[in-house]
Amino acid sequence: MRLPNYICDRWIESKGEGVPLVDPVTGARLASVGSDGLDLAAALDHARQVGGVALRQLSHAERAGMLARIADLLSAGREAYFDISRRNSGATEADAGFDVDGAIFTLKSYVRAARNLGDTRGWVEGGEVPLSKGGNFVGRHFLAPQRGVAIFINAFNFPAWALWEKAAPALLAGMPVLIKPATPTAWLAQRMVADVVEADILPAGALSVVCGGARDLLDHVREGDVVSFTGSADTARRIRTHPAIVERAVRVNVEADSVNSAVLGPDAGPGSAEFDLAVREVVREMTIKSGQKCTAIRRVFVPAAHAHALADAVATKLGKVTVGNPAAEGVRMGPLVSRAQQAAALEGIAALRTECELVCGGGENFEPVGASAGEGAFVPPTLLFCADGERAEVAHRVEVFGPVATVIPYADAASLARMVRRGEGSLVASVYSSDAAFTDALVADIADLHGRLMLVDAAVGGDHTGHGNVMPTCLHGGPGRAGGGEELGGMRALGLYLRRHVVQGSPERIAALAAGCADAALLSA
Ligand code: NAP
């Protein structure tokens, strides 16, 4: 099966053989994708000239209505999407739900957030700024949708969620979308686009999908376009420094890799509620989506006196996780998405082992249930123990994108903060402690290097939304090596697709322009 691309409102197959998509459980070939021969300059022009114009004519309520119809359509197609997720990503039911249901939930969240916008089309920010003594010349700030294309270059781990968490705010803001999913798992995103196109929900030109390599896509970006990238730090660097991006000052948002932390406070010893909550969360983070989450816990900082107890408790729970073919009875964790990812994860484990002890897992002599180790992309849950975190290098630097985490003991609060900061910018850290002084001091020490901090104590208990769960109403992104980008956070996310400008003139002219605009204060509501 060859999956076509959708550009210029037409389905077009690539030239050449394309790249095979495989089942990571068996290695069987499922389909192929490719972008060779596509006119990507024409694809972007069409989106700008047809899709952008049509979307900007619609009110916010009309755009939100389209998002609601997309959410309903995706809900109706859920079973088919789960099936693709199982076959192309080796996902368990829970993994597929994380991606597919997460996408639907996020779309619905934007529909809800937009309910107060009514028939407005643009945005007005703040009041009039007096500019003349007599009051007959004033300024006012506005925000307008950018007149380019929102180009999403996505990672392989969330083909559904990453598409719609970006597309929802972009379409609501009035920008057309061109999605380039990661090649190995492109099928799910391609299928969702196909379903939305067939249902005729969006105006012509508003949605395009290019499967396979990005090829010359970025050569054709121009002012007004937005490139939102999710993936590795290496690719992010290439995108940021691409000549067309630099010359045209194209807005780029980057979500890259991250060596996220979980921290147990000095009070969170064995027997405490915080200890148990931390153990549960570390195990969950290591196993859901086989650890292939940008937000997953990679480093677990524990007071030195409790570090071995924590490692033992996590290893005991990991020992009960059945790994193998998600179709087999009792399997809770599937493979990584490809043999290439498996090789990269095993390489990362080997690097960690140069300075850490193996607590459990590792990969040698591992036999998955209902599958062959020689054919699938399996990596067992692997916990390491790094006795000297202050001297360690690899544990703070290498993000092993799989079911892998490292326990690192700490001696005191100063050493802890120093080590957490060596992640050099992370998406998230979670703290398990009911010691308010400890937690407050740690937050003050590390907040500037994190996009999100999750504080868990006995009072919060199991009610938290999860270390790795990205909530559409809260900010997602992180500084430094995490890419420096910002996504979600409710209506804040529209800001990426809007351009601020000030208009100066007579109060009458300015008031006429402001009529029909929504209050930009809602963008931070
Ligand atoms: P990747 O290799 O960097 O690829 C990401 C995307 O970039 C893919 O669509 C890829 O296309 C494309 N790409 C590669 N080279 C390109 C180029 N020169 N120009 C334009 N596009 C190019 O990353 P990955 O292996 O898919 O994803 C894993 C990484 O993503 C991990 O490090 C993870 O932490 C990070 N991630 C971060 C977040 C977050 O929100 N912060 C979320 C998920 C994942 P092809 O597939 O066709 O090569």
Side-chain angles (χ1 to χ4, degrees):
M1 177 174 53
R2 172 64 74 90
L3 302 178
N5 303 280
Y6 191 70
I7 59 171
C8 302
D9 289 308
R10 282 190 300 137
W11 287 104
I12 304 178
E13 277 191 13
S14 68
K15 296 211 167 95
E17 277 191 12
V19 183
L21 305 188
V22 298
D23 180 336
V25 173
T26 61
R29 188 181 166 126
L30 301 167
S32 70
V33 294
S35 55
D36 286 357
L38 298 189
D39 185 344
L40 298 176
L44 292 175
D45 273 343
H46 181 82
R48 287 182 199 111
Q49 286 161 21
V50 178
V53 170
L55 282 167
R56 288 194 302 275
Q57 282 169 1
L58 301 173
S59 68
H60 286 120
E62 288 167 323
R63 294 176 210 155
M66 295 184 314
L67 296 185
R69 288 180 60 202
I70 293 173
D72 289 344
L73 181 82
L74 299 186
S75 300
R78 199 170 161 270
E79 277 314 310
Y81 305 140
F82 270 51
D83 185 52
I84 293 173
S85 193
R86 265 191 292 268
R87 293 168 69 195
N88 191 195
S89 297
T92 62
E93 190 82 358
D95 297 340
F98 216 85
D99 192 24
V100 174
D101 292 338
I104 297 166
F105 180 72
T106 302
L107 275 160
K108 289 184 174 170
S109 168
Y110 276 95
V111 174
R112 266 195 308 278
R115 66 184 177 273
N116 296 327
L117 300 180
D119 285 338
T120 58
R121 282 171 176 72
W123 297 87
V124 62
E125 186 179 60
E128 282 180 359
V129 183
L131 295 172
S132 72
K133 279 191 183 149
N136 62 342
F137 188 65
V138 298
R140 202 153 182 198
H141 290 85
F142 292 84
L143 293 109
Q146 302 226 78
R147 294 195 170 203
V149 189
I151 300 165
F152 305 149
I153 300 176
N154 282 350
F156 63 79
N157 56 342
F158 282 104
W161 173 80
L163 161 56
W164 295 111
E165 62 104 6
K166 293 181 181 185
L171 292 168
L172 190 53
M175 283 193 77
V177 163
L178 183 144
I179 162 88
K180 198 223 88 60
T183 299
T185 57
W187 188 5
L188 182 52
Q190 194 268 3
R191 170 63 187 268
M192 287 179 155
V193 170
D195 288 349
V196 171
V197 167
E198 194 184 335
D200 201 17
I201 294 173
L202 292 167
L207 188 60
S208 309
V209 63
V210 172
C211 303
R215 289 189 29 250
D216 59 337
L217 178 67
L218 295 179
D219 294 346
H220 310 294
V221 297
R222 51 180 307 153
E223 65 284 354
D225 292 337
V226 174
V227 176
S228 180
F229 169 77
T230 305
S232 65
D234 282 349
T235 312
R237 200 171 305 116
R238 279 204 291 277
I239 289 175
R240 276 192 223 275
T241 55
H242 189 285
I245 300 252
V246 175
E247 272 163 37
R248 302 269 192 164
V250 172
R251 207 177 261 182
V252 177
N253 191 74
V254 171
E255 300 290 350
D257 53 19
S258 182
V259 192
N260 309 296
S261 309
V263 176
L264 278 78
D267 57 311
S272 68
E274 288 79 7
F275 183 91
D276 293 344
L277 288 161
V279 170
R280 193 188 322 154
E281 201 57 10
V282 172
V283 171
R284 207 175 102 87
E285 285 296 302
M286 289 178 71
T287 52
I288 187 105
K289 289 188 68 67
S290 308
Q292 299 168 105
K293 276 186 6 284
C294 51
T295 48
I297 296 170
R298 306 292 178 200
R299 298 178 296 162
V300 190
F301 293 97
V302 192
H306 308 314
H308 283 291
L310 184 284
D312 290 346
V314 171
T316 302
K317 277 194 183 285
L318 289 176
K320 294 179 188 152
V321 175
T322 309
V323 182
N325 183 345
E329 183 74 24
V331 165
R332 271 182 54 204
M333 195 183 102
L336 301 193
V337 297
S338 65
R339 298 280 281 189
Q341 284 302 311
Q342 179 196 41
L346 294 176
E347 200 179 295
I349 293 171
L352 284 169
R353 288 180 75 172
T354 60
E355 59 184 29
C356 307
E357 252 173 71
L358 188 67
V359 179
C360 66
E364 296 95 0
N365 308 319
F366 171 68
E367 280 305 325
V369 171
S372 149
E375 289 171 352
F378 295 93
V379 173
T382 299
L383 190 69
L384 297 113
F385 192 96
C386 177
D388 191 348
E390 286 273 21
R391 285 206 178 170
E393 283 296 327
V394 185
H396 301 297
R397 181 171 43 81
V398 174
E399 180 205 42
V400 183
F401 210 61
V404 182
T406 303
V407 175
I408 307 175
Y410 67 86
D412 54 48
S415 169
L416 168 67
R418 240 184 344 261
M419 289 193 286
V420 172
R421 293 185 69 84
R422 288 184 59 199
E424 296 180 349
S426 298
L427 294 169
V428 52
S430 53
V431 185
Y432 304 83
S433 175
S434 56
D435 180 335
F438 165 82
T439 305
D440 292 354
L442 183 64
V443 168
D445 278 342
I446 65 172
D448 63 308
L449 278 185
H450 289 80
R452 177 162 62 89
L453 293 164
M454 184 177 91
L455 312 181
V456 179
D457 57 18
V460 169
D463 285 348
H464 65 77
T465 48
H467 169 103
N469 266 18
V470 172
M471 302 306 290
T473 44
C474 292
L475 174 80
H476 171 57
R481 71 173 285 176
E486 289 192 2
E487 288 174 5
L488 300 173
M491 296 293 282
R492 279 175 193 81
L494 271 68
L496 184 61
Y497 308 103
L498 301 170
R499 176 58 69 178
R500 177 178 286 105
H501 55 278
V502 63
V503 183
Q504 300 169 333
S506 70
E508 293 72 29
R509 285 266 29 85
I510 302 298
L513 289 172
C517 285
D519 183 350
L522 292 169
L523 290 171
S524 53

